[in-house]
Amino acid sequence: MDTVDTSLVAALRANGRASYAELGRLVGLSGPSIQERVRRLEERGVITGYRATVNPSALGLGLTALIGLVLSDSAGHEEVGTRLEDVAEVEDCWFIAGDEAYMLKVRVADVEGLERLLGKLVRIEGVARTRTTLVISTRFEDRQVEPARSELVGS
């Protein structure tokens, strides 16, 4: 990635609906040049998709929690990970180092919904126990981080 690609990615992260012409004005290239660069970024897997950011509370999902999963000694983490894909309340799932094998970010309507979800999670084969942290408020999410300097070519 060169500095133009980095600028394009930053602009698209800020506004995924920006037109090629708008993006071109930002970086000083023509719309067709931008279209080709964006296509290459998509093909290389730098840009993996476009989505709308929504307010979870407006969707009736007012409670966010982080749940660590401790696996049984005989559990295969890949199998548990595959089963977690079917749990609709899980927004993010990370395989981690430490006492827990997975950390989940979940969204549910309320405490009763969280209780039902915890019951569902401990019934997954291989999950020994959970550790739950409730989110009181969100300072920020989906923060824009700068790419590592080693990833930039021609900077």
Side-chain angles (χ1 to χ4, degrees), residues 55-125:
N55 178 347
S57 294
L59 301 176
L61 302 172
L63 192 146
T64 302
L66 302 175
I67 302 174
L69 299 183
V70 177
L71 303 187
S72 63
D73 291 339
S74 62
H77 71 84
E78 288 292 332
E79 292 81 11
V80 172
T82 299
R83 291 181 188 106
L84 289 170
E85 291 175 13
D86 295 329
V87 181
E89 298 89 345
V90 176
E91 185 172 293
D92 293 303
C93 175
W94 301 282
F95 180 62
I96 60 173
D99 291 335
E100 292 95 10
Y102 283 100
M103 181 62 65
L104 312 176
K105 177 180 171 186
V106 302
R107 296 197 193 262
V108 293
D110 51 28
V111 173
E112 290 80 15
L114 180 60
E115 184 176 11
R116 284 189 300 277
L117 174 60
L118 290 171
K120 186 187 307 185
L121 291 173
V122 296
R123 286 191 301 274
I124 292 176
E125 185 179 339

Side-chain angles (χ1 to χ4, degrees), residues 10-42:
L12 285 168
R13 288 181 75 188
N15 179 7
R17 297 179 68 177
S19 69
Y20 294 131
E22 289 175 75
L23 294 169
R25 282 191 291 279
L26 287 172
V27 299
L29 294 175
S30 70
S33 295
I34 295 298
Q35 185 174 10
E36 177 60 24
R37 280 180 173 264
V38 169
R39 185 189 59 75
R40 283 198 317 259
L41 289 166
E42 291 169 345

